[in-house]
Amino acid sequence: MHLAQDMNRLTRRVPTWLVWCLGMAPLTWLAWGLGLALQGQSGPLGVDPVKTLEHETGLLALQFLIAGLAVTPLRRFAGLNLIKFRRALGLIAFTYLLAHIATWAVLDVQAVSRVIEDLTSRTYIMVGMAGFLLLVPLAWTSRNTAIRRLGAVRWRRLHMLVYPAILLGGLHFVMSVKGWPVEPLAYLGAISFLLGLRLLPRRRHASV
Amino acid sequence: MAHGWKNTSRESAITPETLYLNRRRLMAGGAAALGAGLVPGPGAAGPFDAATDPNSLNDITTYNNYYEFGLGKSDPSRYASALTTSPWTITVDGLVEDPGDYDLREILNGKTIEDRIYRLRCVEAWSMVIPWQGVELRDILADLRPLDGARYVHFETVLRPDEMRLPVGVIDWPYVESLRLDEARHPLTLLATGLYGRDLPNQNGAPIRLVVPWKYGFKSIKSIRRITFSETPIRTSWMKSAPNEYGYYANVNPQVDHPRWSQSSERVIGAGIFGNRRQTEMFNGYGDEVAGLYAGMDLRENF
């Protein structure tokens, strides 16, 4: 476990704001691309900027959610302690989800009637939206004051909603594509794996 | 038999051929920067509406579905250059007078190559306008002389594992498509050999592909290496992949939704961020020409 200890010593020195900066870098890049596209210039978002935005924001949200989901297993099975970054990872993911949904509603379908139609008749959109809604109270209660107000036990129980939420997110990705390509299945596989690790029985003396 | 259809004969909002030809002359003169996006070039700003102009060469050649070269829209432009397109042999078999292997040049020999500006409506609810060059499929079929019993014609895309990426999980390669013979003989149905006045780029289905403008784009099979005449239809590649989502006919129909999204409108590629939604037209706007082919058919049933 020397490596893990060295890593822990290192990560203790990494400030959380650095994770925020790294997490927001792709969003900045996408926003810049959108700015170019709005001016009618071809930029990094390519020929179909709206689809690119939709896809990238959704993908990044899943990636940060998965990173957040990996924190506990990494501590439990590898001794690596990244817990202080977990809130940032979750909130960055939530930020990408907001961007994802805004892109879909405002730039893609572009009409309240079509938003409602999608939300009432397209299963994969319902699944994705359900996942997002489950995350809203978690983002809302992400401050320290919320933890104090709710109490650690209730707070932790509430934040278990991330499990169904991320599963719905992975499912949403799989359902949104044609056929069964590898990439979305890999995401769903990673999510299932990380959730599955939580079902392994804890050794009695492990956490003492 | 060529010239069975004229762009100018439609009330279409698509650029009339003359304007397009003017613009082509302009491009030939080197004035316009191809691939520069929507703005056609200095001096070319004309009376046409940007949203219904032909898409730029950049749009048409970097935003493709050609799954043999990858599932991403820009994958074909990156990887399709590996495909060897010359020489090109097409196998003709099934219910036909002279089955055999034919060189593409032999098949096209003496045929009239004409311009066709068609809107391509993808089943994924986006569209672009493409200035094709090609021959009417019916002219080729007449030469191949299908036997009396033939009612359908099937097409197969070339399969070259050495030159293609062939991602797993979506399509059972090779890609196959099929038309009813009367659809295939419709004057709108084109075998395209070029676009924007140049040879068909590989990512667009070189050296020869089908273009059936009133059907969703996936019917317009690329890089054809086999043509088979038959008494019966086949299950096409997408029907095999997702039978509840893709049917044999795949006519553009705003009233019949894809199970996962609405088909009532489409995103116009290259039309910018806002104002890029367009109402989808029945038969992609070619209803006057083709609706008769489906008289009496329930198009919800036969999607």
Side-chain angles (χ1 to χ4, degrees):
Chain A
M1 285 298 174
H2 271 305
L3 179 67
Q5 277 161 17
D6 291 346
M7 286 287 287
N8 287 341
R9 216 168 296 134
L10 187 74
T11 55
R12 259 199 297 277
R13 282 205 293 269
V14 177
T16 314
W17 59 259
L18 198 63
V19 173
W20 269 104
C21 285
L22 289 174
M24 287 296 113
L27 190 67
T28 314
W29 181 77
L30 290 171
W32 173 66
L34 176 62
L36 285 178
L38 280 170
Q39 291 165 40
Q41 297 176 39
S42 64
L45 302 187
V47 166
D48 194 3
V50 175
K51 264 285 124 94
T52 309
L53 269 182
E54 224 165 38
H55 187 71
E56 292 301 324
T57 49
L59 218 50
L60 283 157
L62 271 179
Q63 287 162 359
F64 280 101
L65 281 173
I66 289 171
L69 202 61
V71 168
T72 297
L74 277 176
R75 188 167 58 159
R76 188 176 157 196
F77 299 102
L80 196 59
N81 190 355
L82 301 171
I83 193 87
K84 78 167 187 180
F85 304 120
R86 195 171 61 178
R87 177 187 300 169
L89 293 172
L91 286 173
I92 291 167
F94 192 75
T95 308
Y96 280 105
L97 282 182
L98 288 176
H100 184 60
I101 290 168
T103 305
W104 161 71
V106 180
L107 302 180
D108 186 355
V109 297
Q110 290 184 9
V112 177
S113 61
R114 280 195 287 259
V115 166
I116 292 168
E117 189 196 337
D118 270 1
L119 279 175
T120 50
S121 57
R122 319 268 168 235
T123 316
Y124 84 99
I125 292 192
M126 290 187 248
V127 166
M129 188 53 86
F132 169 74
L133 291 177
L134 289 178
L135 291 177
V136 172
L138 309 201
W140 188 253
T141 56
S142 62
R143 290 154 304 150
N144 286 337
T145 49
I147 301 177
R148 272 198 296 276
R149 207 175 51 241
L150 284 168
V153 175
R154 275 202 300 169
W155 185 89
R156 205 172 298 137
R157 206 173 292 153
L158 175 68
H159 279 245
M160 283 178 143
L161 282 177
V162 75
Y163 302 153
I166 192 171
L167 206 51
L168 288 168
L171 212 55
H172 165 76
F173 188 19
V174 169
M175 292 171 78
S176 71
V177 296
K178 292 193 275 191
W180 303 98
V182 175
E183 194 193 8
L185 290 176
Y187 275 81
L188 191 58
I191 291 166
S192 308
F193 174 71
L194 290 171
L195 290 178
L197 288 179
R198 287 162 163 84
L199 298 176
L200 294 179
R202 287 182 180 277
R203 282 167 294 158
R204 260 196 298 154
H205 53 276
S207 57
V208 179
Chain B
M1 291 256 271
H3 298 296
W5 183 85
K6 279 263 178 286
N7 290 306
T8 43
S9 69
R10 296 178 54 225
E11 50 82 43
S12 162
I14 294 172
T15 315
E17 203 172 355
T18 46
L19 282 179
Y20 162 64
L21 289 176
N22 281 338
R23 182 126 69 99
R24 268 219 305 176
R25 213 168 296 136
L26 197 93
M27 292 191 302
L34 273 179
L38 269 181
V39 186
F48 30 77
D49 169 15
T52 48
D53 241 0
N55 280 82
S56 69
L57 186 67
N58 184 54
D59 288 352
I60 295 168
T61 57
T62 61
Y63 193 79
N64 306 97
N65 277 332
Y66 194 161
Y67 278 10
E68 283 85 342
F69 294 102
L71 304 179
K73 291 285 185 288
S74 53
D75 287 341
S77 64
R78 239 174 268 153
Y79 303 115
S81 57
L83 185 69
T84 312
T85 58
S86 179
W88 194 264
T89 307
I90 295 181
T91 301
V92 178
D93 56 12
L95 298 175
V96 64
E97 203 76 56
D98 296 307
D101 290 347
Y102 294 89
D103 189 272
L104 179 60
R105 279 168 305 184
E106 205 179 331
I107 288 178
L108 293 175
N109 188 26
K111 294 291 175 293
T112 310
I113 304 277
E114 48 188 298
D115 287 307
R116 295 288 174 93
I117 304 174
Y118 287 156
R119 186 183 305 281
L120 178 100
R121 170 60 158 82
C122 180
V123 75
E124 297 164 346
W126 54 264
S127 69
M128 29 171 123
V129 176
I130 304 178
W132 301 104
Q133 286 79 47
V135 300
E136 287 180 14
L137 176 60
R138 59 176 179 168
D139 289 355
I140 305 289
L141 296 186
D143 281 3
L144 298 178
R145 292 183 298 158
L147 298 173
D148 281 346
R151 289 194 54 222
Y152 296 87
V153 55
H154 315 318
F155 304 89
E156 185 182 304
T157 295
V158 75
L159 179 59
R160 300 243 183 89
D162 294 345
E163 299 179 347
M164 294 170 152
R165 294 162 68 83
L166 303 175
V168 295
V170 185
I171 294 286
D172 190 13
W173 314 111
Y175 191 79
V176 291
E177 258 305 336
S178 173
L179 292 173
R180 233 168 47 190
L181 211 45
D182 58 339
E183 297 174 320
R185 284 180 171 140
H186 192 281
L188 278 173
T189 307
L190 196 72
L191 277 180
T193 56
L195 58 83
Y196 260 123
R198 57 181 72 198
D199 284 345
L200 208 54
N202 281 8
Q203 60 267 39
N204 298 86
I208 191 158
R209 65 168 291 169
L210 192 65
V211 182
V212 195
W214 71 93
K215 292 176 180 284
Y216 292 121
F218 68 86
K219 292 295 289 183
S220 295
I221 185 170
K222 299 184 175 80
S223 307
I224 297 166
R225 60 88 42 202
R226 182 191 297 274
I227 298 176
T228 306
F229 294 91
S230 167
E231 225 176 338
T232 50
I234 51 164
R235 291 180 69 219
T236 66
S237 287
W238 279 112
M239 290 168 78
K240 282 186 269 186
S241 174
N244 61 323
E245 298 190 354
Y246 310 101
Y248 181 84
Y249 286 95
N251 292 317
V252 175
N253 187 340
Q255 275 126 49
V256 178
D257 282 346
H258 187 279
R260 286 180 288 139
W261 55 82
S262 164
Q263 294 290 27
S264 65
S265 66
E266 64 208 40
R267 276 175 312 113
V268 178
I269 301 297
I273 297 277
F274 288 106
N276 62 359
R277 274 271 159 202
R278 174 180 188 279
Q279 293 303 309
T280 293
E281 294 173 77
M282 188 67 204
F283 296 115
N284 202 22
Y286 301 92
D288 289 349
E289 286 88 358
V290 302
L293 292 170
Y294 311 101
M297 276 176 63
D298 181 346
L299 295 178
R300 188 168 292 276
E301 200 68 34
N302 300 285
F303 61 98

